[in-house]
Structures are given as C-alpha cells and as structure tokens.
Amino acid sequence: MNEQALLTTLVFVYLGVLVGVGVYAARIRQKEGGGFIAGYFLGSRGLNGFVLAMTLVATYISASSFLGGPGTAYQQGLGWVLLAMIQLPAMYLTLGILGKRFAIIARRIKAITVVDFLRERYDGNKLVVLSSAFFVVVFLVAAVVAQFIGGARLFQSVTGFDYVLSLILFSFVVMIYVTLGGFLAVVLNDSINGTIMFVGTIVLLVATVKAGGGTAAIVQQLAAKNPELLTPFGVKHFISLPWISSFWVLVCIGLLGLPQNAVRAMAYRDSRAMHSAIVIGTVVTGALMLGMHLVGVFAQAIIPKVTVTDMTIPTLALQVLPPFLAALVLAAPLAAIMSTVDSQLIYMAGTIIKDIYLNYINPSADENCLKRLSQACNILLSLLILALAIKPPSLIIWVNLFAFGGLQAAFFWPLLLGLYWKRANAAGAIASQVGGVLAFVWFSAFVPRPLGLHPIVPTLLISLGSFLLVTALTQEPKCETIKKFWGYAED
Amino acid sequence: MKGKVQGDYRFRQCGKEALIMLALFVLNVVWWYGFAYGLGSRPVETYGYVLGLPDWFFYSCVLGYLVFSVLAWLAVRVFFRDIPLDDTHTAEGGDGKQ
C-alpha cells in the first residue's frame, strides 16, 4: 500500500469514529431523557474534568496552531514560540475568572447560552439579546467558513481528492455528528480530537529532536544560519514589544469573552470537574503550544528549504516519522479544525433556537418540535457554510482573526462586568457591544497597528469606556436582577 | 437597594478563587516578561544555554510552563473548595441535572 492510500484509509477510519460518536451520543441522550434543550445544547451540564478541559482546549485551538503558527515560528525562530506561550494561562483564566459563580448563576437562571445569561442579567432587554445573537451568528459564520476552507484544503492535501469533494466530505461528517448527537457528541469528539493533538505533538517533538541530533545540535545549526532565530525579537525585529504584548489580550485574557468558550464554563458537573479541568487544560495547552511551535523552529535545521511555510509541520512529519505516526500528526490539524467547527456550529444553532426562536417566535414550542427544528437548524447552517466555502476568499487567517476579535469586542465586557459589577446595566452593555465592534472593524481596516499594538487593545478600552460612560448616565438595573445575581436562591 | 441584598455564601468563596487565579496570571505575566526580555535582550553571543536551549527561552517558556502548571495545580488544591453548584442541594434539584 502506498503512503497516500494508507493516509486516506486512516482519515476515513477517523471520520467514521467521529460519526460513530455522534450516533452514540444521540442514544445516550435518548436514554437519559430530561429536557431536550438543556440536553442537546449543553449536555445536561454533566461534563467531567477531562472532557471539560479537552473541549475547552480543542474548541479554542484551531488549525493555525499546527499550520500557520509553526510556519511563522519556522521563519521567526524562538521569539514566535515565546508569543505562542502567552496562551498558557488561557484555561485557568477562563475557568477561574468566570468561575463557579458563572456556573451557579447559569444553573439558577437555567441559562443554556451566553446570550441567555446576558438577557437575564440585563433585565430581559430585547436589544441586548438581538444584538448579541446577531454578533454570534455573523462572526461565527465567518469563522466557520474559514475553518471549513482550511479543513477541506488539508483534507485535499492528505487524500489527494479535489477541493469541492474534500469540502463536502468534511462538512457532511461534521454536520452528521453535530446534528445527531448535539453538544454531547461535540464534547466527546473534542476529547478524542484533543487527545490526537496532544499525542501527535509529543510524538513529533521527540522525533524531531532525535532527527536533528539533540536540541544543542539543532540550536547550534540555527545560530550558524541566523542568530536572530535565537532571540525573542524574531528576524529583523519582526516581533516588536507592543505587538507581542497585545497578544496577552487577544489570545489570553480575551478568550473568556468568546461565547463558545464561556458556554463551557456553565456545562460542568460539579466543583471537582472544574478543579481538574483547570489543571488538565493548562498542562495540555502548554504542551501543544510549546511543542508544536518549537518543532516549527527546529524544522529549520532539518528541512531548511520550505517555501510554503504553512506546510512546515506536514512536510516535517512525513520526513521524520514512519507513515503510520505521520498520519497521527497530520490528523492533528484536522482534529483541531473539526473540534473548533463543531463547537461553533452547535453554539450558533443554540443561539438561533434558544435565544431567538424560543424567546420571541414561539415560547410554547413542544419538545418534539424543538428537536426537529434544532436538527434542521444544524443542517441548514452546515449547508449554508458549505456553499460559502466553495469559492474560498484568500486571507483565511485574517478572516478568522477578524471574527475572533469581533466576538471578544462584543462579549468581553458585557459578560465580565455583568458577572462582577452590580451597577452594570443594559444600556451600558449595548453601548459596549456596538462601540467595541465598530472600533474593532475601524481599527482593523484603517489603523491596523495603533501605537504598534494589535487593534484588540484599543477596541477593548473603547468598549469598556462606552460601557462605563453609558451606565453612569442611565438607571441602575432592577432590584430583582441584583437579587438573582448576587443574592441567595429564592425558595 | 444595593446594600440590602443578602449575599449567597458561596459567592465569597467564588470571589476568592477568582482573585487567586488573577494573582497567578499576574505572576505568570511577570515571569514571562522577566526572563524573556531580562535575559534575551543581551547580544546573542553572550547567551547561556540550558539543555541546549538559549537560557532566556528555557526559563521563560520551558521552565515557565512547568512552574505554572504546578502552581495552577497547587492553587486549586489549596484554595479551591468543593461547593454545590445547584441552589437546591437535593438530588432532584436544578434543571436537567442527572
């Protein structure tokens, strides 16, 4: 059997497993019974520590940590690994800052989505709900399209199928298991995908160090090639201090503002699950970030003539590993895409069904109707995204980062201040969302590096400023809201 | 009305835990900057090496990873409490609880 046939076979086995998990999750859900909405969109708040950690890590980490990121590390050296390591605190920060407080309140108000939480916190204000839901759908569609394109291209490079066929296969697999199994299928598959990424990273790191004759030998080769590769500043001071510092906001603190991440912080079973997820999540994130980006740098010494740097990791894997293990490493970016896309898809469907349909269109819908609608919604969304992805726009990473920052601009402060500041009110939240998103779009389009920073930094300052100013000028929230969010349970 | 709301006892603990994670984060940031730019700003020829890696990188990224993984574990173990997340502490309470 030649290499490509082996890889193709393994990829199909992998996809088969994902679909199988979807069917399995659908069965479990049926057996358990309970409310459809909480079960389908939030796994009945039953995640244990391992699954919580893995789904949080896998949802956040996209293919760029396996392709674009290590590719840039290949060019820029250790400075880019330093940048990647900014993400180390992301998991303990997301779970720790939202904390059990978020989980307790979510249970109290029966929140299934982040928009649910915002609706209750901001006195049921319709504008808050509609603008939040709007931003979720718009930005996540953009993000998912970009990920679908990446997924299909990767699929194409592994199997040799043409782009459209790859795209269709890839998106149908995601569509089937998300539609059948809902959130439970998503988090179980995220755990599988997270494990693939973790193991793939370790295997590749070890094999690369071995192939290069040990770290000391590799580093000496890099020094001979270009000493700048060993500095924190990158080649020709590409990585400036204000720029790298911005990433503490964009890929670390800001992550707790992403609704598809935050929703996981209301899905765990108990305190212990959260405790162990903080530790597991941090260990796994650190290993992935350090491992993959370091491998990207080391690749300079082993395969010095890569032209398309996104292909650094796949090329290296095929060079230093036997085919079977190479397949595992090649599966890692695919797993990263799958686990990001599925979470975003189920989250969008949840927003449309729970936040729009159940709130404003048909509050008395029965379980059967909800089930059919939710599944139809997943299918329609997948097909829409598939259609959009057939003619791919070029700058994948740009589109992805744009959606990423936009979601943070829309949700970071309304979520955080809603949780910790009694005075925060609906008008302030809307001002913060609209001001933040407009600022982000404006900066990205016209001043991409204000004072050398990434646009997300001034964006979050403007969005905070609008929040504080408008809140100060308008009435405080209702007393019963404060009671619900700060007081004892009523009963 | 602000002062009159009786606080849920669990929220004090939650607040404490959030502050501890924040402190860990601040420490993490200081560690990262301190080693990376404190040691890494010297001329490349003067770098020391640990396990074959430039010293700034080893301390900031490799050791930093290990130290903060252990500290996260320690912080959770020492300061975090196992508190109920449901308001009704009975088995059938809450929504959709298994």
Side-chain angles (χ1 to χ4, degrees):
Chain A
M1 194 149 67
N2 70 29
E3 212 161 77
Q4 185 148 64
L6 173 71
L7 288 180
T8 307
T9 315
L10 288 172
V11 165
F12 275 93
V13 170
Y14 163 68
L15 295 180
V17 169
L18 296 185
V19 171
V21 168
V23 174
Y24 169 76
R27 277 227 189 126
I28 298 249
R29 220 165 23 75
Q30 228 150 35
K31 246 193 255 165
E32 272 184 0
F36 172 78
I37 290 286
Y40 192 73
F41 291 113
L42 208 54
S44 306
R45 300 183 212 279
L47 307 196
N48 66 27
F50 176 76
V51 174
L52 173 63
M54 282 310 198
T55 186
L56 201 52
V57 172
T59 296
Y60 162 59
I61 291 180
S62 66
S64 68
S65 301
F66 296 91
L67 303 172
T72 313
Y74 179 86
Q75 291 172 303
Q76 299 299 334
L78 293 177
W80 204 258
V81 189
L82 179 69
L83 185 145
M85 285 309 281
I86 287 174
Q87 293 160 96
L88 178 64
M91 299 304 140
Y92 71 70
L93 214 53
T94 300
L95 286 172
I97 299 292
L98 292 174
K100 292 166 198 160
R101 187 185 166 86
F102 188 59
I104 289 171
I105 293 171
R107 277 161 205 251
R108 181 176 291 174
I109 63 178
K110 301 188 179 8
I112 302 296
T113 66
V114 170
V115 181
D116 265 341
F117 175 87
L118 298 178
R119 189 191 64 233
E120 290 286 331
R121 174 61 184 83
Y122 296 113
D123 301 333
N125 187 297
K126 206 168 174 175
L127 260 178
V128 172
V129 176
L130 292 179
S131 85
S132 302
F134 173 78
F135 288 133
V136 163
V137 174
V138 168
F139 287 132
L140 284 186
V141 165
V144 178
V145 169
Q147 293 277 318
F148 263 41
I149 294 164
R153 289 223 176 114
L154 199 64
F155 205 89
Q156 189 183 12
S157 70
V158 175
T159 59
F161 294 174
D162 80 26
Y163 175 75
V164 176
L165 182 62
S166 305
L167 190 64
I168 290 174
L169 260 171
F170 175 81
S171 48
F172 266 68
V173 168
V174 179
M175 182 177 84
I176 290 170
Y177 78 73
V178 173
T179 304
L180 284 176
F183 188 80
L184 189 59
V186 169
V187 297
L188 291 178
N189 276 333
D190 282 1
S191 305
I192 295 177
N193 286 325
T195 308
I196 292 176
M197 293 187 246
F198 183 73
V199 176
T201 302
I202 306 287
V203 166
L204 186 60
L205 181 62
V206 171
T208 304
V209 171
K210 234 178 171 181
T215 46
I218 294 172
V219 169
Q220 287 326 305
Q221 253 178 295
L222 296 181
K225 198 165 186 185
N226 181 358
E228 287 178 317
L229 292 171
L230 302 186
T231 70
F233 306 106
V235 174
K236 300 195 176 104
H237 277 249
F238 178 80
I239 311 168
S240 72
L241 202 54
W243 182 250
I244 197 172
S245 298
S246 309
F247 281 77
W248 281 103
V249 177
L250 185 70
V251 299
C252 188
I253 307 166
L255 293 188
L256 64 91
L258 295 177
Q260 72 271 28
N261 284 359
V263 76
R264 279 157 171 71
M266 50 167 88
Y268 47 84
R269 186 164 55 201
D270 50 26
S271 289
R272 281 189 193 155
M274 181 254 211
H275 299 171
S276 47
I278 284 182
V279 181
I280 299 170
T282 303
V283 169
V284 173
T285 309
L288 291 179
M289 290 303 155
L290 184 60
M292 265 303 149
H293 292 85
L294 198 53
V295 164
V297 176
F298 286 176
Q300 268 293 357
I302 296 162
I303 42 166
K305 288 198 183 81
V306 174
T307 43
V308 183
T309 54
D310 278 6
M311 293 308 287
T312 304
I313 295 296
T315 314
L316 182 71
L318 290 171
Q319 173 113 5
V320 301
L321 289 170
F324 186 78
L325 286 176
L328 179 72
V329 174
L330 291 178
L334 199 58
I337 294 175
M338 285 282 180
S339 54
T340 301
V341 164
D342 60 6
S343 313
Q344 294 176 338
L345 205 58
I346 190 80
Y347 190 76
M348 269 192 283
T351 296
I352 292 170
I353 297 295
K354 179 73 176 44
D355 301 329
I356 307 284
Y357 184 78
L358 263 180
N359 275 340
Y360 301 117
I361 301 177
N362 183 6
S364 57
D366 66 58
E367 295 268 295
N368 249 336
C369 159
L370 282 175
K371 184 178 171 185
R372 255 176 284 137
L373 266 175
S374 304
Q375 296 190 326
C377 185
N378 270 323
I379 293 174
L380 285 176
L381 274 172
S382 310
L383 293 179
L384 169 77
I385 288 157
L386 173 64
L388 285 172
I390 283 181
K391 273 207 165 180
S394 49
L395 298 159
I396 298 176
I397 293 179
W398 188 80
V399 176
N400 199 16
L401 271 186
F402 183 75
F404 194 75
L407 280 173
Q408 292 183 10
F411 288 97
F412 186 81
W413 293 117
L415 194 55
L416 204 61
L417 293 182
L419 196 57
Y420 287 107
W421 190 35
K422 280 184 190 163
R423 184 67 177 78
N425 67 13
I430 294 168
S432 159
Q433 278 198 329
V434 175
V437 173
L438 286 180
F440 188 69
V441 172
W442 187 81
F443 276 113
S444 303
F446 300 110
V447 197
R449 285 202 182 196
L451 306 173
L453 297 162
H454 187 282
I456 193 69
V457 180
T459 294
L460 284 189
L461 289 177
I462 288 170
S463 131
L464 174 63
S466 335
F467 203 131
L468 298 180
L469 185 72
V470 174
T471 297
L473 297 174
T474 46
Q475 282 191 332
E476 47 189 85
K478 286 183 193 156
C479 186
E480 58 259 41
T481 301
I482 299 296
K483 242 187 210 156
K484 214 183 289 172
F485 279 72
W486 271 269
Y488 280 116
E490 296 158 47
D491 58 352
Chain B
M1 292 306 294
K2 273 177 276 180
K4 287 184 191 167
V5 175
Q6 277 256 316
D8 187 322
Y9 79 99
R10 292 171 296 174
F11 290 158
R12 281 182 71 93
Q13 175 62 24
C14 294
K16 193 174 124 189
E17 292 176 2
L19 281 178
I20 284 164
M21 286 294 116
L22 198 63
L24 188 65
F25 171 67
V26 172
L27 206 63
N28 203 155
V29 174
V30 171
W31 180 288
W32 181 95
Y33 273 106
F35 281 115
Y37 295 97
L39 291 176
S41 301
R42 297 169 302 164
V44 180
E45 308 80 60
T46 62
Y47 282 175
Y49 291 86
V50 184
L51 297 180
L53 297 165
D55 49 6
W56 71 265
F57 179 79
F58 176 81
Y59 292 119
S60 180
C61 295
V62 182
L63 191 64
Y65 166 49
L66 299 175
V67 165
F68 285 91
S69 297
V70 171
L71 283 183
W73 171 78
L74 208 64
V76 164
R77 222 186 128 86
V78 175
F79 298 108
F80 279 43
R81 295 274 172 273
D82 190 356
I83 53 176
L85 303 177
D86 284 298
D87 284 332
T88 44
H89 305 167
T90 51
E92 73 277 4
D95 76 296
K97 193 177 178 250
Q98 294 163 24

